[in-house]
Amino acid sequence: MTRYIAFLRAINLGAHRKFPKDAIRACVEGAGFRDVATHINTGNVLLSTSRRSRASVENALEEAFLADRGFPVPTIAFRPEELVEVVRAGEELATGRPEVVRHYVSLLKEEPGPGVSAQVTDATEPGVAVLVVGRAVHVVTDHVLGQGGPQSDRLERLLGVATTRNQTVLSALVQKWC
């Protein structure tokens, strides 16, 4: 059995995309996954599966979520060791930056192509540092950004399907599940 941590995008925002964590857990179990656990109500799910492909896991979850909720729920999965690397890269980026006010991490469905890192950096505002590492984009700021994290619509146009968490949540998941 392979373990994955799945991150659901755009749930529990407003009145129309409700997906409580107990319903998520039941849906994931109903789709045949095992050892299912959730963390807070933002769509963080631990699961075990005999599926070998990350894409297969994501597709199966997305199909189950659509059938259960009636709306698409883009899902991005990482193996625990991959998430450990994401958190470690974020810690290194924040080291020696006492001015850090926020640290967001956009988790990507697909790894961006060459040259995208420079485009992402060019799309940010002053006081924002960006680091693209594999399927994660770390954004540290010296001020509070607007709602939705680090210009998430602009990042998604450059990087494809993504969901954003803060470094604190990802660190907690590594402590709890990895």
Side-chain angles (χ1 to χ4, degrees), residues 35-53:
D35 308 318
V36 178
T38 57
H39 176 77
I40 64 177
N41 211 29
T42 57
N44 310 299
V45 184
L46 175 69
L47 56 93
S48 295
T49 181
S50 59
R51 294 173 185 265
R52 297 289 178 203
S53 155

Side-chain angles (χ1 to χ4, degrees), residues 65-151:
F65 298 151
L66 179 61
D68 185 78
R69 292 287 114 171
F71 55 81
V73 179
T75 303
I76 299 162
F78 282 79
R79 290 185 324 276
E81 59 272 18
E82 292 174 311
L83 190 60
V84 167
E85 289 303 315
V86 167
V87 169
R88 186 181 359 249
E91 290 167 351
E92 290 175 14
L93 178 62
T95 299
R97 294 180 187 263
E99 74 281 4
V100 171
V101 173
R102 297 282 190 270
H103 184 157
Y104 300 99
V105 184
S106 291
L107 303 169
L108 309 176
K109 200 167 218 11
E110 301 298 332
E111 190 166 334
V116 171
S117 184
Q119 293 176 35
V120 170
T121 301
D122 290 346
T124 61
E125 59 191 67
V128 176
V130 176
L131 175 66
V132 179
V133 180
R135 291 190 305 124
V137 179
H138 292 270
V139 179
V140 294
T141 71
D142 65 1
H143 59 284
V144 176
L145 298 172
Q147 290 207 335
Q151 304 115 341

